[in-house]
Amino acid sequence: MSQEPQYVPEGVDLDRPNPARIYDWFLGGSSNWAIDREFGAKAIETFPMVKTIARVGREFLGRGVQYLARQGVTQFLDLGSGVPTVGNVHEIADSVNPDSRCVYVDNEPVAVAHSRVLLERQGDLTRHAVLHGDLRNVEEIWERAMDTGVLNPTQPIGLIVCGVLYFFGPDDDPHGIVARYRELLPAGSYFLASHLTFDGGPADGEDKREEVRKQYNQSSAPLFIRTREEFTRFFDGYELVDPGVVWIPQWRTDERESPATAEFLDNPPASSAFAAVGRKP
Ligand SMILES: C[S@@+](CC[C@H](N)C(=O)[O-])C[C@H]1O[C@@H](n2cnc3c(N)ncnc32)[C@H](O)[C@@H]1O
C-alpha cells in the first residue's frame, strides 16, 4: 500500500487522476494520491496486465539508455521523464560513464519536484538538471535545456521520449514535434521511443484495452493509441538501430535485466507496445 506524499508541490491537480502519478503507482512508487490509486486499481481490475505493461515500458527505457551509453553517448535529454523511480536515466548513464549528463523535463509538478529533490541529494548539479515544462513547446524546451549548461549542443545527445507520445492527439501534431526535435539535434544523436498499440492481441482472451483507454479520458491526459506504421513514422530522418521497430520485449533484452519483460517473451504482442531507437545521420 502506497503512503500519501507528505507535501503537495505547487500546481499539483488533485481533482483528477494524473498519468505520471498513476504510472508511479503502477511501478510501486509513493508519489501518488488516493485519486490516482483508485484510478489505477480500476484499470487493473479491467485489464490486469496494465501494471506489467507499465513495468515493461520502464525496463525498455533502462535497456535503451544502457545501450546508448555503451555506444558512447554521454548526454541525455529525457522528455516526459516521470516521477523518479528505480533505474533513472542519469543513474543508468552514470553507471556506464560517471561523467554523463542528463536533463529531465516533465509537465507534472510532482515529477519535477521529486526529480529536483533526488538530484539535489544524490545528483551532481553541474551534470544533471530538471525542468518543468511542456515538451510540445519544442523551441522553448530546447532553449531552456541548453541554458542549463548541462548539455553541449554540438555533441551527440540521446533524446528520450518513452511512454509519452500517446498522450498527444492529432491536434498536437506529435510527428511534427518529434521532427522539430530531430532538426535541433546534432548529427550522431539518438532518438529512443516507445508507444502503446492495440496491434496484435492481448494474451488473455477478451480484449479490455479499449475499455482502459476510455477510462483514461477521465484522467488529466487521454490516450492516443497508434499502429506500427504510425509509430515507425516518428523515426523518419533517423537510421533505425538493430533490431528496428519491434514489440518492446524484442528490443535487446540481453542488454539489461528486465524481469517484467520476461513475462512477454513467449507472446511479445501482448506487451501492447512498440519500441525503437534511431540514430540521426
Ligand atoms: C507514462 S509516464 C513515462 C515516464 C518515463 N518516460 C518512463 O518511460 O518511465 C509519462 C510522463 O510523460 C509526462 N508528460 C505527458 N505529457 C507531457 C508534456 N506535454 N510535456 C512534458 N511531459 C509530459 C507525464 O507527466 C508523465 O510523467
Side-chain angles (χ1 to χ4, degrees):
M1 170 98 184
S2 300
Q3 289 192 339
E4 202 85 349
Q6 285 166 2
Y7 75 104
V8 182
E10 206 184 316
V12 171
D13 175 4
L14 291 181
D15 292 335
R16 280 179 307 172
N18 174 277
R21 303 180 328 233
I22 300 164
Y23 184 71
D24 172 69
W25 185 70
F26 285 154
L27 296 179
S30 54
S31 305
N32 47 72
W33 279 264
I35 195 161
D36 309 308
R37 297 193 288 273
E38 276 160 25
F39 181 96
K42 198 168 152 210
I44 291 171
E45 201 183 309
T46 307
F47 183 54
M49 213 168 274
V50 69
K51 192 169 169 179
T52 318
I53 288 171
R55 291 175 184 224
V56 163
R58 188 74 192 174
E59 288 176 1
F60 163 67
L61 171 74
R63 295 199 299 282
V65 170
Q66 184 146 312
Y67 171 79
L68 293 188
R70 286 178 172 164
Q71 299 308 301
V73 177
T74 58
Q75 34 179 20
F76 296 86
L77 177 56
D78 185 2
L79 303 178
S81 46
V83 177
T85 179
V86 181
N88 297 300
V89 170
H90 76 283
E91 293 160 346
I92 296 172
D94 275 6
S95 72
V96 178
N97 178 346
D99 290 328
S100 296
R101 295 168 169 269
C102 180
V103 174
Y104 292 112
V105 178
D106 207 285
N107 67 349
E108 164 55 38
V110 172
V112 176
H114 287 235
S115 302
R116 195 159 282 144
V117 169
L118 178 79
L119 294 181
E120 277 165 9
R121 287 195 189 142
Q122 296 164 20
D124 169 348
L125 296 181
T126 65
R127 297 189 296 113
H128 307 130
V130 56
L131 302 175
H132 182 216
D134 188 326
L135 71 91
R136 289 171 293 186
N137 302 326
V138 180
E139 283 72 23
E140 180 212 313
I141 291 292
W142 183 265
E143 205 177 311
R144 288 175 60 204
M146 296 309 140
D147 281 351
T148 60
V150 165
L151 304 176
N152 177 348
T154 69
Q155 294 298 313
I157 293 172
L159 177 71
I160 301 165
V161 192
C162 253
V164 182
L165 291 167
Y166 47 73
F167 292 116
F168 306 143
D171 292 350
D172 296 310
D173 185 18
H175 290 91
I177 291 171
V178 167
R180 294 209 318 275
Y181 279 109
R182 188 195 64 235
E183 284 159 15
L184 291 164
L185 288 170
S189 291
Y190 287 85
F191 172 51
L192 187 150
S194 60
H195 203 294
L196 289 174
T197 185
F198 288 171
D199 289 8
D204 54 357
E206 203 185 349
D207 194 347
K208 293 291 193 120
R209 296 176 298 184
E210 175 58 16
E211 220 171 293
V212 174
R213 190 196 64 75
K214 283 190 186 140
Q215 287 171 4
Y216 265 83
N217 288 340
Q218 314 303 315
S219 81
S220 59
L223 295 183
F224 296 87
I225 306 302
R226 294 196 166 83
T227 62
R228 179 188 289 265
E229 189 274 330
E230 289 169 318
F231 177 62
T232 304
R233 275 204 290 120
F234 285 118
F235 290 84
D236 283 357
Y238 289 101
E239 292 164 349
L240 283 170
V241 164
D242 201 43
V245 172
V246 290
W247 297 105
I248 278 203
Q250 294 172 326
W251 202 89
R252 295 181 182 266
T253 40
D254 52 351
E255 186 68 44
R256 187 181 166 85
E257 207 181 339
S258 302
T261 306
E263 292 187 32
F264 291 100
L265 291 182
D266 291 343
N267 186 5
S271 65
S272 306
F274 292 123
V277 173
R279 181 179 179 279
K280 180 173 171 174

